[in-house]
Amino acid sequence: LIHYESECQDEMFNSMAEAMGKNANWTAHTNLGKSLEYHYNEGEGLTEAGVPGAKMMVKSEAWTHIILQEQTAKPRTKFEEYRQSVIKWVEYIRENCPNPNAIIILPVNWAYNTDPFEEFNAAMLTNYRALAQELGVTLCPVGVAYEKAYEKYEKGKKKSACHSACRRCYDIG
């Protein structure tokens, strides 16, 4: 369960897996810029837009991996709110996914357009690590990769180019 800006990601990722001899079913569900709490509160059925809500998607298949990506600043600015929404999701997945042992992944994003950039990234990584240890979930530290690219691009002189490149790497990787 994941989504970024591309509408053809399902096909792209499934084709990549097939080319590697893997049988994968990549499915997307999101509303860009919305929090995990927003998706949790969508309900058990169809959303107002008539598409399956995230909870309905969790129940629909024995997923092997579920990615819970917060798309707001909450992990940095309102960590306890973010923590509580992740706890609710982990409990929901464990109780309702046909595969209660699905690997839950938290992508550790980067501090979008904030200074001091390195300090905020370090704080976010610390928060995510503590949460992952508490809940027994897996981290994908994309913020670390972004910070390395940020350093390479002279600390912000090419911040938007760096953001775009990292975003593409994250989408593909």
Side-chain angles (χ1 to χ4, degrees):
L1 300 172
I2 193 168
H3 180 71
Y4 299 105
E5 284 90 20
S6 173
E7 292 187 18
C8 65
Q9 285 189 15
D10 295 5
E11 181 180 314
M12 178 182 67
F13 282 103
N14 292 338
S15 295
M16 287 170 57
E18 185 179 337
M20 295 185 317
K22 306 287 183 186
N23 181 14
N25 180 14
W26 181 275
T27 300
H29 174 82
T30 194
N31 193 339
L32 288 175
K34 300 295 184 181
S35 67
L36 290 172
E37 184 72 19
Y38 171 91
H39 290 290
Y40 189 85
N41 292 328
E42 286 176 321
E44 300 281 335
L46 299 177
T47 67
E48 292 176 7
V51 297
K55 287 181 176 177
M56 187 176 186
M57 295 292 293
V58 165
K59 290 179 166 184
S60 72
E61 232 178 279
W63 303 101
T64 58
H65 296 76
I66 297 176
I67 300 172
L68 296 175
Q69 182 178 12
E70 178 70 36
Q71 295 192 1
T72 71
K74 282 184 181 182
R76 183 176 56 81
T77 61
K78 297 178 181 178
F79 181 71
E80 187 54 31
E81 280 183 36
Y82 168 69
R83 181 180 165 275
Q84 289 302 317
S85 64
V86 173
I87 289 170
K88 285 193 272 190
W89 269 114
V90 170
E91 289 173 356
Y92 186 86
I93 291 165
R94 296 293 178 238
E95 293 171 8
N96 294 283
C97 182
N99 175 11
N101 299 312
I103 296 169
I104 298 172
I105 301 169
L106 298 178
V108 183
N109 291 332
W110 52 90
Y112 300 102
N113 300 318
T114 56
D115 285 310
F117 183 74
E118 294 87 349
E119 181 181 324
F120 284 135
N121 273 354
M124 284 178 50
L125 185 57
T126 297
N127 287 344
Y128 274 94
R129 281 184 177 145
L131 185 58
Q133 288 174 345
E134 175 186 351
L135 301 176
V137 299
T138 301
L139 292 183
C140 178
V142 293
V144 174
Y146 183 83
E147 188 170 340
K148 297 288 183 204
Y150 175 79
E151 290 167 2
K152 183 177 180 177
Y153 284 95
E154 300 180 48
K155 299 197 182 227
K157 289 183 181 176
K158 298 180 183 175
K159 192 182 264 187
S160 63
C162 177
H163 176 271
S164 297
C166 285
R167 186 64 180 195
R168 281 191 210 92
C169 290
Y170 180 44
D171 289 351
I172 296 169

